[in-house]
Amino acid sequence: METKSWSVKGKYVIITGATSGIGLAAAKELAKRGAILGIIARNPAKAEATVAALKAVAGDDAKVDVFHADMTSQQSIHDVAKVIENSWPRLDVLINNAGAMFVKYLTTEDGIEMTWAVNHLAPFLLTKLLMNKLEESGNGRIITTASHGHKMARNGIGFDDLNGRKNYRFPHLLMGGPNYRYGETKLANIMFTAELGRRLEGTGVSAACFDPGLVATNFNQDNGALARMTMSVMKRFSRTPEKGAETLVWLADSDEMSLSSGSYYKDMQRIVPSNQAQAPVAAKRLWEMSENQL
Ligand SMILES: NC(=O)c1ccc[n+]([C@@H]2O[C@H](COP(=O)([O-])OP(=O)(O)OC[C@H]3O[C@@H](n4cnc5c(N)ncnc54)[C@H](OP(=O)(O)O)[C@@H]3O)[C@@H](O)[C@H]2O)c1
């Protein structure tokens, strides 16, 4: 039998969006497998409930730290990165999983459109801030939750309208602008991962992203009654959070990542994303433009 050279047992793992859905299911499985977890959460009560849920499945000795941050605020991300930097001895795996979709055009305190801020710029910034710590660990991993929904951004990233105003001109729920915008952020996750893979060559750190499939979670519950109704219909065709988290857990706990950094996965297989997601020139441009938004 082939032996694994990497296991998540005893590894220091930071995860965002672990208070619900895919992130919570992944955190439970990682805790069961002996990871030392740090959950980044915005809601203290939900964070407490998550710690209790993790200990309920992994035992009272499970190691879980809570870090507080709101992914809509760049200051909050800077603050939490500093706390992690100072309080954790090392960092082996960073999981950028928190995500949302905003049907209304809203901007953050930094003047960034919300869906872009939470889904793309937050992982971009958090990864950059924690990179030294990941590099120090020798063979760190960065895993980002992307989506098949990246294909909704049929024309790629709107570089002439990075704050997405055009997307919100005709907001309606099924095929409207906010969906395109969401797709754009998930496309950005894949392009960011590909560019990260290129930039990390020779550092020992690797990057991957994955499509969890259509998963029954709390996603899109804050966008009014019609969105909730749509999601409840979609739930009938959805996977469980545990199934949705399977590839994430596998990426955190298998040898695979060191083999193919920068790749996109589904169901524990490397898959090919849209043509836009594979364009290195656009990925480099996205990286540079994202830096200008910080
Ligand atoms: N569900 C699907 O079918 C599906 C498909 C493809 C990809 N995805 C992706 O999967 C990821 C997880 O989503 P999910 O489906 O599990 O949805 P979910 O149940 O709504 O979970 C989202 C998580 O992100 C956190 N979060 C959202 N905004 C945040 C903020 N501003 N600051 C800090 N944390 C924040 C939430 O925290 P609170 O608990 O405080 O709200 C929650 O823990 C997302 O990136 C999503 O795009 C989902």
Side-chain angles (χ1 to χ4, degrees), residues 14 25 96 106 113 150-151 169 173 181 202 222 224 250 290:
I14 290 286
N96 292 309
L106 299 169
E113 187 280 313
H150 77 277
K151 292 188 175 167
R169 251 186 233 156
L173 281 173
R181 183 58 163 174
D222 297 331
W250 175 75
S290 304

Side-chain angles (χ1 to χ4, degrees), residues 236-253:
R236 297 188 192 168
F237 310 99
S238 301
R239 301 170 157 199
T240 62
E242 291 70 28
K243 181 72 184 163
E246 193 177 52
T247 300
L248 197 176
V249 171
W250 175 75
L251 286 166
D253 193 31

Side-chain angles (χ1 to χ4, degrees), residues 17-22 42-43 46 69-72 97-99 118 145-147 182 186 212-215 217-219:
T19 50
S20 170
I22 297 162
R42 60 176 165 174
N43 179 327
K46 276 186 148 183
D70 186 331
M71 293 290 137
T72 65
N97 167 73
V118 174
T145 306
S147 172
Y182 175 72
K186 293 288 130 182
L214 184 61
V215 190
T217 66
N218 283 330
F219 192 80

Side-chain angles (χ1 to χ4, degrees), residues 31-44:
K32 279 201 248 174
R33 294 185 190 197
I36 299 161
L37 284 175
I39 64 166
I40 299 185
R42 60 176 165 174
N43 179 327

Side-chain angles (χ1 to χ4, degrees), residues 102-106 113 158 160-173 175-181 184:
F102 297 83
V103 164
K104 287 198 182 120
Y105 185 84
L106 299 169
E113 187 280 313
D160 59 337
D161 182 33
L162 218 48
N163 227 11
R165 281 187 186 280
K166 283 186 200 157
N167 294 124
Y168 285 87
R169 251 186 233 156
F170 307 106
H172 57 91
L173 281 173
M175 294 306 290
N179 290 289
Y180 189 98
R181 183 58 163 174
E184 225 181 354

Side-chain angles (χ1 to χ4, degrees), residues 83-97:
V83 174
I84 294 166
E85 178 88 41
N86 293 334
S87 61
W88 263 22
R90 56 186 285 140
L91 175 59
D92 302 293
V93 184
L94 169 62
I95 300 170
N96 292 309
N97 167 73

Side-chain angles (χ1 to χ4, degrees), residues 4 15 46 92 104 106 111 119 132 232 256 262 264 277 291:
K4 274 194 346 160
I15 178 167
K46 276 186 148 183
D92 302 293
K104 287 198 182 120
L106 299 169
N119 294 4
N132 282 345
S232 80
E256 170 72 13
Y264 176 55
E291 273 183 333

